[in-house]
């Protein structure tokens, strides 16, 4: 029996507990005109949405342009963002105040002209320190940006207050330390927030803070008479922290003169309340992926009611959405250069999931879905929020065409397969970070970076020795000594190496998340989750196409190992040709699909902290460059230091049979063994989509439809010219908003490091279908 099921045995769930709280005059006024349901008796946002939203199957002709007020406000932000770039990426920072929900007083861009208010600190783009994750991150960030550390803060977090990072390194094993140092495992969240927790921020708008606090008190009180074992004690402590977080959110909103005690009464308030909930999360945590959730259709309910009642115009509705997005584009964290090397472009992954289908057959597309994408026109393209369209074959054609049109114009949208994920996650899931689906408010993830399978293959050949340093990293593996590599022998050794790697990897994650709960608990995010949250362990693969092609070369060609004086294989000579992943060739694609299942099966066998359900992604973010830099020559012919392909992509230039063949190879990868996501970043030249705008939109829509029909899970779409990117490298001042999709998220191209820009340019730009 799973831990969550055991815990439930301690609790008795009273019925209609909220009836008295939901029946006040203020609540009745806020909910006037809404159809009642389970949501009006207990906290149930999905029931509210299904009872009250208005599907929209028309086109984009109703949309309004940006108002003059919006343009003026955005111009001020753009000036600040330009200064930020000029100042090495950090405009300002408060190094004396550890960030908390209510640590900073109100901050404004232009107080008299903001529709939606709230900043992370007391000034726009001013960053805050978050030392609870680890003071090393604060020290490194101050050093990188020329900031003077606060001696009092330093003393507290190095002498008196143990941090998550300190605790993790106290518990790490020699194997974990060796794997971390050699970069066979990289990006572990052992010095920053783990992220990938999507709080149901909609709850604050629908219910107000008072009801949510009472709900958490109810959850805690239900265990008052339980036997106080370790699990119950921990849950009670966590609920107490969540209640404190909700009270802090009330105080934070009060700094702006806003009372969020009661439910929102109109569209503007609904957006503001929801944003305050999200703002609390990013003030409390600097996680890798502080996703927003699935808010657009929910908010449309308020907009539709206000428009119907004659108190809101379309222009005003768009203005509110534009202002909301301006705030989301301004989220910032203070991070080290090492972090930025892995996750370049200053990303936050404010992922908003849009569209999709209702289980009852209706679309979840609303007018507000159009408004959200329309911000790419009104404000120009940008990486944040990470706009994610949940794609279904049954989506309205007007919506499909609008999405394709905006992709062609901005390269700022990613697509995920709703028809593939809805049967697994239901119809109220969202995407965390880039490609990771989870049920809003009911599931969370223990984020776990990535294991470098390409390096693992080299370790299998070299008996656990690192090909770059010559240091023994993995024990219990004998080296292969033959001149020419035998596929069966290599595959057998590789399987043993994956046993060692999966065990070391999961051990590291268990330590990290145990300590994270103790020293850097996400009280603000978890305050918007159910008590009995389902936890998942998010493992990941890097070097996927490199190891796939390497095994294909060994199997179908002849690969000779070139050894150094130590006897380590440091280079390879390939005699003959071999099938390359990305060309719809079942010989090599079968190796790829098997690899996904094999590593996941090993992860599944291992015990996890808090009985988290093991999941796996094929995702690298921009760390494909760092992984490549730290990996030697590989048997596929890739040279040492050359970046890996991102995510599940074929290696650069090897998918030579056209766009459809490349997509077909990736679509074969089994989602059942990679339910944390399979990232595919697709780039195509504009003229390759067609001659006229209408033809381009139709062809891109058809391409996405076809990929999803073949069970592809995720697709980044870049429609751009390589020459534009080359010019942007040399003249970044000309392209302040040039946005591209990388591995699961979007970035300002000019914010990437030079090696990462070169990597993007080296990728396949498809010239034919």
């Amino acid at each position: 029996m799973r831990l969550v099921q055991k815990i439930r045995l301690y609790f008795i769930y009273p019925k209609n507990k909220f009836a008295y709280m939901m029946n006040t005059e203020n609540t009745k006024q806020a909910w006037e005109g809404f159809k009642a349901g389970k949501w009006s008796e207990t906290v149930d946002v999905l029931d509210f949405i299904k009872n009250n939203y208005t599907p929209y199957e028309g086109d984009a002709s109703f949309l309004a342009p940006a108002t003059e007020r919006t343009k003026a406000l955005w111009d001020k932000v753009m000036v600040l963002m330009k200064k930020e770039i000029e100042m090495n990426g950090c405009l300002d920072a408060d190094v004396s105040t550890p960030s908390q929900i209510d640590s900073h007083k109100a901050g404004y861009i232009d107080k008299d002209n903001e529709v939606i208010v709230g900043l992370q600190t007391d000034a726009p783009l001013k960053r805050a320190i978050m030392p609870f994750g680890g003071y090393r991150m604060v020290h490194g960030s101050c050093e990188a940006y020329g900031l003077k550390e606060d001696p009092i803060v330093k003393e507290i977090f190095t002498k008196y207050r143990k941090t998550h990072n300190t605790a993790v390194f106290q518990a790490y094993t020699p194997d974990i330390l060796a794997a971390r140092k050699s970069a066979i495992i990289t990006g572990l969240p052992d010095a920053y927030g783990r992220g990938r927790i999507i709080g149901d921020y909609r709850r604050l708008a629908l219910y107000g803070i008072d009801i949510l606090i009472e709900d958490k008190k109810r959850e805690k009180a239900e265990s008052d008479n339980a036997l106080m074992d370790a699990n119950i004690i921990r849950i009670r402590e966590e609920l107490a922290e969540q209640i404190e977080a909700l009270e802090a959110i009330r105080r934070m909103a009060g700094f702006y003169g806003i009372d969020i005690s009661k439910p929102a009464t109109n569209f503007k308030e609904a957006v503001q309340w929801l944003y305050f909930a999200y703002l609390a999360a990013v003030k409390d945590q600097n996680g890798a992926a502080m996703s927003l959730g699935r808010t657009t259709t929910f908010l449309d309910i308020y907009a539709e009611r206000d428009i119907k009642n004659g108190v809101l115009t379309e222009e005003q509705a768009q203005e509110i959405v534009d202002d909301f997005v301006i705030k989301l584009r301004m989220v910032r964290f203070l991070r080290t250069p090492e972090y930025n090397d892995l996750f370049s472009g200053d990303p936050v992954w404010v992922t908003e999931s849009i569209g999709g289908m209702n289980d009852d057959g209706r679309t979840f597309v609303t007018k507000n879905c159009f408004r959200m994408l329309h911000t790419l026109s009104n404000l120009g393209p940008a990486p944040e929020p990470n706009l994610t369209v949940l794609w279904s074959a049954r989506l309205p054609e007007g919506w499909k065409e609008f999405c394709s049109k905006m992709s062609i114009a901005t390269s700022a949208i990613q697509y995920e397969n709703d028809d593939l994920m809805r049967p697994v996650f239901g119809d109220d899931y969202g995407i965390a970070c880039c490609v990771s689906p989870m049920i809003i408010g009911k599931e969370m993830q223990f984020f776990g970076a990535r294991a470098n399978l390409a390096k693992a293959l080299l370790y299998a050949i070299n008996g656990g020795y690192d090909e770059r340093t010559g240091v023994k990293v993995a024990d219990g593996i004998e080296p292969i000594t033959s001149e020419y590599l035998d596929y069966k022998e290599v595959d057998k050794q590789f399987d043993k190496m994956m046993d060692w790697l999966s065990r070391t990897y999961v051990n590291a994650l268990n330590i990290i998340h145990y300590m994270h709960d103790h020293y850097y608990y996400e009280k603000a995010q978890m305050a918007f989750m159910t008590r009995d949250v389902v936890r998942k362990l998010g493992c990941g693969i890097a070097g996927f196409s490199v190891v796939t092609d390497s095994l294909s070369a060994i199997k179908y060609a002849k690969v000779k190992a070139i050894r150094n004086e130590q006897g380590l294989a440091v280079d390879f000579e390939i005699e003959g040709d071999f099938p390359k992943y990305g060309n719809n060739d079942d010989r090599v694609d079968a190796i790829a699909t098997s690899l996904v299942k094999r590593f996941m099966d090993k992860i599944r066998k291992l015990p996890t902290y808090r009985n988290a359900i093991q999941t796996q992604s094929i995702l690298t973010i921009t760390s494909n460059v760092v992984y490549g830099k730290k990996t030697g020559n590989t048997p596929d012919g890739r040279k040492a230091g050359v970046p890996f392909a991102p995510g599940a992509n074929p290696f650069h230039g090897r998918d030579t049979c056209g766009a459809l063949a490349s997509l077909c190879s990736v679509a074969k990868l089994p989602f059942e063994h990679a339910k944390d996501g399979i990232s595919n970043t697709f780039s195509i030249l504009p003229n390759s989509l067609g001659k006229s705008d209408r033809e381009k939109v139709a062809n891109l829509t058809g391409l996405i439809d076809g990929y999803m029909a073949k069970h592809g899970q995720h697709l980044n779409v870049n429609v751009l010219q390589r020459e534009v990117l080359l010019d942007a490298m040399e003249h970044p001042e000309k392209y302040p908003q040039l946005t591209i999709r990388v591995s699961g998220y979007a970035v300002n191209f000019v914010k990437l490091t030079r090696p990462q820009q070169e990597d993007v340019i080296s990728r396949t730009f498809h010239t034919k279908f």
Side-chain angles (χ1 to χ4, degrees):
M1 187 181 292
R2 301 200 65 82
L3 174 61
V4 169
Q5 292 172 317
K6 288 181 180 178
I7 291 170
R8 281 184 176 137
L9 295 179
Y10 288 105
F11 301 132
I12 299 173
Y13 292 87
K15 295 182 179 179
N16 300 320
K17 176 73 175 180
F18 292 94
Y20 74 95
M21 292 187 295
M22 306 276 191
N23 204 33
T24 66
E25 198 59 41
N26 285 330
T27 302
K28 287 180 179 179
Q29 181 183 354
W31 292 348
E32 186 177 352
F34 294 152
K35 182 180 177 182
K38 289 189 298 181
W39 68 271
S40 49
E41 298 177 356
T42 187
V43 174
D44 190 338
V45 176
L46 178 59
D47 184 69
F48 167 74
I49 294 171
K50 289 192 170 189
N51 274 290
N52 289 284
Y53 86 102
T54 305
Y56 179 69
E57 299 192 6
D59 60 22
S61 58
F62 72 92
L63 290 168
T67 64
E68 292 305 313
R69 188 213 59 82
T70 295
K71 292 177 184 178
L73 188 68
W74 182 237
D75 284 345
K76 291 184 177 183
V77 175
M78 287 290 289
V79 169
L80 293 172
M81 288 183 172
K82 182 179 179 181
K83 288 181 180 178
E84 182 181 53
I85 294 173
E86 292 170 353
M87 296 179 69
N88 195 31
C90 181
L91 181 67
D92 193 10
D94 179 352
V95 298
S96 299
T97 311
S99 183
Q100 296 280 277
I101 297 169
D102 56 351
S103 57
H104 292 82
K105 297 300 182 183
Y108 300 92
I109 307 164
D110 181 351
K111 185 175 181 179
D112 294 332
N113 290 298
E114 292 180 66
V115 176
I116 302 299
V117 298
L119 299 175
Q120 283 172 281
T121 60
D122 55 5
L125 304 185
K126 184 177 183 180
R127 303 179 191 231
I129 57 171
M130 294 189 168
F132 295 95
Y135 191 77
R136 185 163 56 91
M137 181 71 79
V138 177
H139 170 77
S141 299
C142 288
E143 195 172 61
Y145 293 114
L147 304 169
K148 186 177 180 181
E149 294 175 72
D150 187 306
I152 296 176
V153 173
K154 182 176 182 179
E155 182 180 18
I156 290 171
F157 286 94
T158 57
K159 186 175 180 180
Y160 301 110
R161 208 304 187 167
K162 183 187 285 190
T163 67
H164 163 238
N165 181 249
T166 299
V168 166
F169 275 82
Q170 287 177 339
Y172 269 167
T173 66
D175 272 3
I176 296 171
L177 291 169
R180 192 182 188 280
K181 185 176 182 180
S182 72
I184 196 169
I185 304 173
T186 297
L188 292 169
D190 52 20
Y192 57 91
R194 57 187 161 200
R196 296 214 186 169
I197 300 172
I198 310 176
D200 191 354
Y201 307 118
R202 305 169 300 190
R203 293 182 182 183
L204 184 57
L206 182 56
Y207 295 107
I209 209 79
D210 285 349
I211 287 175
L212 297 184
I213 289 173
E214 287 302 315
D215 187 29
K216 290 298 176 183
K217 287 180 178 178
R218 173 191 64 82
E219 289 182 337
K220 188 180 179 205
E222 284 175 346
S223 64
D224 284 353
N225 297 317
L227 294 173
M228 290 296 134
D229 63 14
N231 293 323
I232 299 300
I233 293 168
R234 174 170 53 191
I235 289 171
R236 289 179 64 83
E237 180 188 27
E238 289 175 349
L239 287 168
E241 289 200 37
Q242 292 171 29
I243 293 167
E244 290 178 3
L246 293 170
E247 291 288 6
I249 296 171
R250 187 204 304 274
R251 291 193 296 272
M252 178 190 71
F255 296 159
Y256 292 89
I258 296 175
D259 180 5
I260 57 170
S261 298
K262 308 306 176 189
T265 62
N266 56 46
F267 180 55
K268 179 182 174 181
E269 285 189 356
V271 174
Q272 181 68 73
W273 271 226
L274 187 152
Y275 173 61
F276 274 147
Y278 180 74
L279 181 61
V282 296
K283 285 164 70 70
D284 191 50
Q285 283 282 318
N286 64 341
M290 300 298 287
S291 301
L292 181 63
R294 193 170 182 173
T295 69
T296 311
T297 295
F298 166 81
L299 291 170
D300 187 75
I301 297 170
Y302 291 85
E304 283 293 305
R305 185 182 64 172
D306 287 359
I307 290 172
K308 181 180 178 180
N309 291 338
V311 296
L312 183 74
T313 67
E314 182 56 42
E315 183 181 71
Q316 290 169 331
Q318 185 65 55
E319 185 175 57
I320 290 168
V321 174
D322 288 344
D323 209 301
F324 178 39
V325 167
I326 287 174
K327 297 301 186 298
L328 297 176
R329 291 185 179 189
M330 296 176 69
V331 176
R332 295 289 189 274
F333 294 126
L334 190 64
R335 290 166 170 165
T336 60
E338 291 78 16
Y339 185 101
N340 292 333
D341 283 342
L342 282 173
F343 311 122
S344 190
D346 215 4
V348 183
W349 300 280
V350 188
T351 306
E352 166 67 5
S353 302
I354 311 169
M357 297 296 295
N358 190 329
D359 278 342
D360 66 11
R362 295 179 295 163
T363 180
F364 274 126
V365 174
T366 63
K367 285 188 175 181
N368 209 43
C369 297
F370 281 82
R371 293 185 194 108
M372 180 59 76
L373 289 195
H374 190 46
T375 62
L376 296 172
S377 296
N378 283 356
L379 305 174
E384 305 289 359
N386 185 18
L387 297 174
T388 303
V389 171
L390 303 178
W391 190 275
S392 168
R394 295 183 291 159
L395 288 175
E397 290 303 314
W399 171 244
K400 286 183 178 180
E401 291 173 3
F402 184 64
C403 292
S404 294
K405 177 183 176 182
M406 295 308 298
S407 277
I408 292 168
T410 68
S411 295
I413 304 171
Q414 67 176 357
Y415 300 89
E416 309 230 6
N417 193 337
D418 187 55
D419 292 333
L420 180 69
M421 294 183 289
R422 190 182 344 104
V424 179
F425 298 95
D427 56 4
D428 194 37
Y429 67 93
I431 303 300
C433 183
C434 310
V435 297
S436 307
M438 59 187 69
I439 301 171
I440 301 292
K442 296 181 180 179
E443 294 183 333
M444 63 164 287
Q445 184 186 107
F446 291 155
F447 169 61
R450 280 142 219 106
N452 184 342
L453 291 193
K455 185 177 274 286
L457 179 62
L458 295 179
Y459 280 23
I461 295 169
N462 287 321
Y465 285 87
D466 190 88
E467 75 284 355
R468 294 168 59 246
T469 64
V471 172
K472 181 78 167 178
V473 175
D475 290 320
I477 301 165
E478 295 299 317
I480 294 172
T481 58
S482 57
E483 183 179 15
Y484 285 91
L485 300 177
D486 176 76
Y487 178 77
K488 289 184 178 179
E489 182 182 16
V490 170
D491 192 58
K492 184 178 179 180
Q493 287 290 93
F494 184 46
D495 199 71
K496 290 181 180 178
M497 184 61 216
M498 286 195 291
D499 283 334
W500 178 91
L501 180 58
S502 60
R503 184 176 64 253
T504 305
Y505 189 13
V506 172
N507 282 343
L509 296 181
N510 286 340
I511 290 171
I512 288 168
H513 295 296
Y514 176 93
M515 298 304 180
H516 214 301
D517 277 349
H518 279 70
Y519 298 101
Y520 201 19
Y521 179 68
E522 299 91 344
K523 57 186 180 296
Q525 290 162 287
M526 297 303 293
F528 297 100
M529 307 282 283
T530 183
R531 173 191 56 208
D532 301 319
V533 64
V534 174
R535 294 170 175 85
K536 297 184 175 181
L537 186 73
C539 303
I541 293 175
F544 178 73
S545 63
V546 171
V547 72
T548 296
D549 284 350
S550 292
L551 290 171
S552 178
I554 295 168
K555 185 174 185 178
Y556 294 105
K558 293 184 67 177
V559 178
K560 179 181 179 181
I562 310 299
R563 293 184 168 83
N564 64 10
E565 294 178 355
Q566 191 179 344
L568 300 180
V570 294
D571 204 355
F572 303 90
E573 291 181 0
I574 303 173
E575 299 174 14
D577 199 8
F578 61 94
K580 285 95 173 171
Y581 169 68
N583 296 290
N584 198 21
D585 188 323
D586 284 338
R587 292 175 297 169
V588 62
D589 293 351
I591 294 174
T593 57
S594 174
L595 183 62
V596 175
K597 181 179 184 300
R598 287 170 69 185
F599 195 66
M600 186 66 239
D601 282 344
K602 294 182 184 301
I603 295 291
R604 285 191 182 106
K605 295 176 182 177
L606 298 166
T608 58
Y609 171 61
R610 296 187 86 164
N611 283 353
I613 300 168
Q614 302 92 333
T615 62
Q616 176 177 246
S617 66
I618 311 173
L619 171 72
T620 59
I621 320 292
T622 48
S623 58
N624 63 300
V625 176
V626 172
Y627 274 114
K629 184 179 179 180
K630 296 184 177 181
T631 303
N633 297 310
T634 44
D636 62 332
R638 175 199 148 273
K639 292 304 179 183
V642 172
F644 295 163
N649 275 61
F651 192 76
H652 309 336
R654 289 184 186 161
D655 45 346
T656 57
C657 293
L660 295 181
S662 179
L663 293 173
C664 283
S665 284
V666 180
K668 293 175 186 176
L669 301 179
F671 180 65
E672 64 179 305
H673 301 300
K675 289 182 180 176
D676 196 38
I678 302 169
S679 175
N680 185 12
T681 300
F682 176 80
S683 299
I684 191 166
L685 299 176
N687 290 339
S688 300
L689 283 173
K691 295 181 180 179
S692 68
D693 290 344
R694 182 183 294 273
E695 187 179 4
K696 290 175 183 177
V697 167
N699 284 336
L700 181 55
T701 301
L703 186 147
I704 298 171
D705 264 336
Y707 180 64
M708 301 302 182
K710 287 185 174 291
H711 308 297
Q713 188 254 342
H714 164 268
L715 190 66
N716 276 326
V717 175
N718 287 317
V719 183
L720 38 78
Q721 300 275 5
R722 183 178 274 110
E723 291 74 17
V724 172
L725 301 182
L726 289 168
D727 192 51
M729 286 178 66
E730 302 305 322
H731 306 287
E733 70 282 355
K734 292 165 56 179
Y735 302 91
Q737 289 189 261
L738 177 59
T739 300
I740 63 164
R741 303 294 312 181
V742 281
S743 181
Y745 72 107
V747 295
N748 282 125
F749 181 77
V750 297
K751 286 188 176 182
L752 292 174
T753 65
R754 188 78 174 195
Q756 287 162 341
Q757 290 177 335
E758 291 170 348
D759 168 56
V760 168
I761 289 171
S762 73
R763 298 177 185 179
T764 302
F765 283 65
H766 289 286
T767 59
K768 61 180 180 179
F769 279 95

